[in-house]
Amino acid sequence: MTKNLSFKESFIQDKLRTHSCNQLRKSDIGKQVVLMGWVHHRRDHGGVIFIDLRDRDGLTQVVFNPAVNKQCHEKAEDFRNEYVIYIEGVVQPRPADALNTNLPTGEIEVMVHTVKLLNSCRPLPFQLDQTTPVSEELRLTYRYLDLRTPYMANIMKTRSKVTFAVREYLDKQGFLEIETPILTKSTPEGARDYLVPSRINPGNFYALPQSPQIMKQLLMVAGIDKYFQICRCFRDEDLRADRQPEFTQIDMEMSFSTQEEVFRITEGVISSMFKSGLNIDIKLPFTRMTYKEAMDIYGSDKPDLRFGLKLFQATDIMNNSNFKIFNGTIANGGVIKGLCYPNGAKFSRKELDDLTSFAGIHGAKGLAWFKISEDKFQSPIAKFFSDDQLNKLKNMGRANTGDIIFLICDKETVVNQALAALRNQLALIGNLIPENQFNLLWITEFPLFKYNENEKRLESEHHPFTAPFTEDIDKLDTDPLNIRSSSYDLVMNGCEIASGSLRIHNFELQQKIFELLNLDKKTIQQQFGFFIEALKYGAPPHAGIAPGLDRIIMLMLGLPNIRDVIAFPKTQKASCLMSKSPSPVSEAQLKELEIRIPKKKPKDA
RNA sequence: GGGGUCGUAGUUCAACUGGUUAGAGCACUGCCCUGUCACGGCAGAAGUUGCGAGUUCGAAUCUCGUCGACCCCGCCA
């Protein structure tokens, strides 16, 4: 047992703290106080010992002076980093030359006259003083230590405040918070489900919800009128910096509602989050843009509007040249789009090669570039084009001397995807993105369907419960790919942070949509039968949206990944380094579930 | 499934082109120090260079495989 640690003493009995470690100020001088917390730093001068006592909220310097209390001082000699201690003492002013202006409590200190060791601490796997960086691998393995750091503690506090603000706002707007099942039903379409085997019904599985979509619509049928839930969603897909297999949505649904009302409520939710989390007043209402506009000008349905670099059409200008690759691609239905990057003529050959391979990662087969100098177009392919073409290109890109124009020629989807990625990349390397700016943007009028080339069938762009755009509804049988939907996304700084739609509340229309998605009658009946049935019993018109809580907080705090806003996140391989999950289970457990794991074949077999 | 970056003491990093006993800061241990706040001083302990093969007289360094972390593509209604 650690020196000086007695089990008896280590329980605090009936004593409570009088203050947190970020509470005492000059006005408290003279008070008797009780503080408890962690030893953040110990400074031992042989005589007097200073300890920075830390809790969630901050630091307070506590002083052990042998001249004041010998026993306390002797105990403090053995204290080490992260020991948990109890102190009683008197708040006193610091000497005028020993103030610490870096600490809110820096004008005072507590002279200790009673001390108890509540717990000791082994040497740490990493230091918590944030003076040296720590690998994330280690932080995740000892997440409970990582969460003690002011950095993580502050994120958790902000997250809590923001979440509370959401509840408060939606409660005032008349929303009911209702929980929906975590053990629910697997449905086709969408992401891969996490499955949970049923012991009582062997061979059958629950699915964890990708979102409570159907349940919240059923709550509308149930007359709940306005529902919300801060709910966990699960999707068994590969992870990214901004994607975790379980994440939290602010799930909302409202009856007898319109897009305008959903926007108003959502803008209220978001602005209350910013107000409570950052004390920032977000400008309302948010900007709006149609999907078509966004794709035309930015090549993306989540454009970052904090910088320009708009795309332009160059198909007509650059067609019919001596450059056969362009001509051929256009003849096959391809397009040329481009963007002008100011002062880009100074890019080296290596930088351009890097940008070309970057475009390649995002699907482009090549990246054409034209450096603009006085009366000259420097480019490996300039020779294939007439002066007239090149001048028109310069005009189209509004290029000046010293700029560079990039062109990509391919199928429109590829062109847009690659140029949108290139646009973001150029903004990044050119430092064109202003800091501390929050650009919120509604994208509307998404297509209802997209075509899945592999499966040769229509897929929902949003989800199958999305209502078609009223004006386009008669195209269902004739021109489904050109139907717009009543769905909308909210984009912040080029990141999708919410997605929603007006829903289908008519069972015949819902059935029709399922059929267009090429789901056979049996599947529809098995997977969605109960839902279609519900729509037959007086389902009201309803609409909803689901902002992603983790992502919004990540962006609000300007963090590079979503893991930092989640207390116990998973690694890119979806495992928890701390608990080592997922992990094998016992034969007995598997037997109970009637699950057999096939033996792994040796690799060379 | 694919591409890329990385893995050295508890930790953060170093170790030149393959060449002596793999070094330093912090943490840790011991001693000293009564106004520090990333306190200071002296001394010490601490290494399967992720793991496994291979090349070589010789591997932290080169090659292959494997495990893990991160970023990206595919995927994510």
Side-chain angles (χ1 to χ4, degrees):
Chain A
M1 186 160 185
T2 311
K3 195 175 164 192
N4 280 338
L5 177 62
S6 86
F7 286 133
K8 198 172 169 189
E9 176 181 302
S10 73
F11 289 94
I12 54 179
Q13 311 291 354
D14 55 349
K15 285 287 190 178
L16 288 176
R17 291 168 290 182
T18 58
H19 298 79
S20 83
C21 291
N22 192 20
Q23 218 175 347
L24 294 170
R25 297 292 184 270
K26 246 185 348 193
S27 55
D28 297 302
I29 286 167
K31 281 186 187 162
Q32 287 280 341
V33 297
V34 176
L35 300 181
M36 300 183 217
W38 286 264
V39 174
H40 192 63
H41 266 303
R42 191 181 67 110
R43 293 176 293 279
D44 185 346
H45 290 260
V48 68
I49 294 172
F50 299 100
I51 283 176
D52 290 333
L53 193 65
R54 190 199 69 241
D55 64 14
R56 193 186 73 191
D57 294 323
L59 297 173
T60 299
Q61 175 164 284
V62 300
V63 189
F64 299 81
N65 192 328
V68 173
N69 189 310
K70 200 153 178 258
Q71 286 83 12
C72 286
H73 179 264
E74 270 171 23
K75 276 190 159 183
E77 281 182 329
D78 292 325
F79 292 169
R80 294 292 181 270
N81 282 344
E82 298 305 306
Y83 275 34
V84 188
I85 62 172
Y86 166 109
I87 64 109
E88 280 178 58
V90 181
V91 183
Q92 64 182 31
R94 295 196 188 192
D97 58 349
L99 304 177
N100 187 341
T101 50
N102 296 323
L103 289 181
T105 60
E107 290 186 294
I108 57 92
E109 61 193 11
V110 177
M111 183 58 73
V112 177
H113 59 66
T114 305
V115 64
K116 292 180 189 177
L117 180 57
L118 302 180
N119 215 340
S120 63
C121 179
R122 296 282 179 84
L124 296 159
F126 57 93
Q127 283 157 259
L128 307 186
D129 57 12
Q130 297 180 301
T131 53
T132 43
V134 186
S135 77
E136 194 172 6
E137 201 167 347
L138 206 57
R139 288 173 54 206
L140 292 177
T141 307
Y142 298 92
R143 189 60 155 182
Y144 44 87
L145 295 179
D146 188 38
L147 289 166
R148 278 188 204 164
T149 60
Y151 170 78
M152 288 303 296
N154 284 331
I155 293 173
M156 291 302 127
K157 281 196 276 186
T158 302
R159 182 173 177 135
S160 173
K161 262 163 66 177
V162 165
T163 310
F164 177 74
V166 169
R167 287 207 163 88
E168 195 176 34
Y169 175 83
L170 288 173
D171 175 67
K172 284 202 179 112
Q173 296 290 327
F175 283 72
L176 302 187
E177 182 169 16
I178 296 178
E179 292 168 87
T180 52
I182 293 294
L183 296 176
T184 179
K185 187 180 173 71
S186 176
T187 52
E189 301 287 296
R192 193 176 294 113
D193 286 321
Y194 275 101
L195 296 176
V196 180
S198 165
R199 174 185 56 83
I200 294 171
N201 306 281
N204 290 308
F205 294 81
Y206 303 98
L208 305 183
Q210 296 175 28
S211 82
Q213 184 60 37
I214 288 179
M215 291 301 167
K216 71 174 172 178
Q217 289 192 240
L218 292 175
L219 287 172
M220 296 301 101
V221 180
I224 289 299
D225 203 293
K226 291 188 174 68
Y227 144 94
F228 87 100
Q229 181 181 193
I230 297 182
C231 64
R232 200 65 63 83
C233 303
F234 305 86
R235 294 178 191 176
D236 187 5
E237 296 292 349
D238 286 350
L239 285 73
R240 287 286 188 282
D242 62 352
R243 261 163 39 189
Q244 281 276 303
E246 49 180 314
F247 60 98
T248 304
Q249 281 189 346
I250 304 164
D251 198 42
M252 292 148 65
E253 197 75 11
M254 35 198 129
S255 293
F256 309 111
S257 193
T258 61
Q259 177 175 297
E260 289 307 317
E261 192 187 36
V262 174
F263 281 19
R264 181 181 65 79
I265 295 283
T266 307
E267 288 173 1
V269 169
I270 302 286
S271 67
S272 71
M273 293 170 83
F274 271 91
K275 190 65 187 174
S276 67
L278 298 177
N279 198 24
I280 284 177
D281 292 299
I282 286 288
K283 192 172 153 257
L284 299 179
F286 301 156
T287 321
R288 300 185 190 188
M289 188 181 284
T290 64
Y291 172 86
K292 186 175 183 316
E293 236 181 311
M295 295 307 286
D296 284 348
I297 304 175
Y298 299 100
S300 166
D301 61 1
K302 43 179 183 180
D304 191 339
L305 299 194
R306 289 175 299 171
F307 56 93
L309 303 182
K310 292 181 181 178
L311 312 188
F312 58 88
Q313 268 288 349
T315 314
D316 293 342
I317 300 171
M318 304 304 274
N319 199 4
N320 298 321
S321 67
N322 295 324
F323 194 50
K324 296 210 174 80
I325 296 174
F326 279 11
N327 298 342
T329 306
I330 293 167
N332 285 323
V335 301
I336 301 176
K337 284 174 82 172
L339 72 83
C340 171
Y341 181 73
N343 304 315
K346 62 176 186 293
F347 278 134
S348 67
R349 187 57 201 240
K350 163 142 186 20
E351 286 172 313
L352 290 168
D353 285 348
D354 287 348
L355 288 170
T356 304
S357 63
F358 178 85
I361 291 169
H362 294 272
K365 291 182 197 73
L367 179 66
W369 50 267
F370 299 82
K371 290 181 177 177
I372 317 292
S373 52
E374 293 294 346
D375 303 323
K376 231 183 90 194
F377 296 86
Q378 193 203 332
S379 167
I381 60 168
K383 62 189 172 202
F384 297 116
F385 299 92
S386 69
D387 287 350
D388 183 48
Q389 281 180 307
L390 294 172
N391 282 318
K392 277 184 178 157
L393 176 68
K394 181 181 169 185
N395 286 338
M396 192 58 118
R398 299 185 181 178
N400 295 309
T401 299
D403 294 353
I404 190 168
I405 287 176
F406 294 102
L407 294 181
I408 292 176
C409 178
D410 210 308
K411 281 193 314 192
E412 188 165 12
T413 51
V414 173
V415 168
N416 279 333
Q417 191 186 347
L419 274 180
L422 184 68
R423 178 177 172 266
N424 287 332
Q425 178 71 1
L426 287 169
L428 205 63
I429 61 182
N431 250 327
L432 303 184
I433 305 173
E435 278 176 42
N436 302 321
Q437 189 178 317
F438 299 102
N439 190 293
L440 286 138
L441 170 71
W442 287 112
I443 304 291
T444 60
E445 298 180 30
F446 278 80
L448 186 63
F449 298 115
K450 62 188 168 204
Y451 190 69
N452 185 321
E453 296 281 356
N454 295 330
E455 297 177 28
K456 306 284 178 216
R457 67 177 188 98
L458 293 177
E459 269 183 357
S460 292
E461 173 78 30
H462 183 56
H463 60 51
F465 315 109
T466 304
F469 210 66
T470 322
E471 295 164 33
D472 296 348
I473 212 155
D474 49 6
K475 294 183 195 162
L476 272 177
D477 290 310
T478 54
D479 191 10
L481 280 170
N482 277 316
I483 301 174
R484 288 166 293 174
S485 75
S486 301
S487 70
Y488 30 81
D489 276 4
L490 183 59
V491 175
M492 175 154 66
N493 295 354
C495 190
E496 182 196 315
I497 59 162
S499 192
S501 62
L502 308 191
R503 322 297 190 192
I504 297 165
H505 65 285
N506 174 289
F507 82 92
E508 285 161 312
L509 181 57
Q510 184 64 72
Q511 200 138 22
K512 174 90 186 165
I513 297 291
F514 284 139
E515 282 163 16
L516 284 170
L517 292 171
N518 212 15
L519 298 177
D520 63 77
K521 283 227 161 66
K522 200 177 149 202
T523 308
I524 296 172
Q525 186 51 39
Q526 275 176 355
Q527 305 295 336
F528 299 111
F530 70 105
F531 179 67
I532 290 171
E533 179 79 356
L535 294 183
K536 293 175 185 170
Y537 296 106
H542 57 285
I545 191 163
L549 181 67
D550 318 271
R551 258 188 209 179
I552 293 171
I553 294 168
M554 171 185 87
L555 292 170
M556 279 174 66
L557 297 177
L559 302 175
N561 70 67
I562 202 171
R563 294 181 298 278
D564 279 5
V565 305
I566 296 172
F568 299 104
K570 300 203 168 30
T571 69
Q572 191 160 50
K573 281 202 164 171
S575 67
C576 171
L577 294 177
M578 185 178 64
S579 65
K580 299 200 168 62
S581 80
S583 53
V585 295
S586 69
E587 278 300 323
Q589 284 173 296
L590 289 176
K591 202 172 172 191
E592 219 165 29
L593 297 166
E594 300 192 17
I595 290 178
R596 257 197 308 277
I597 312 286
K599 287 244 158 53
K600 265 199 181 151
K601 284 179 193 158
K603 263 226 158 144
D604 47 11

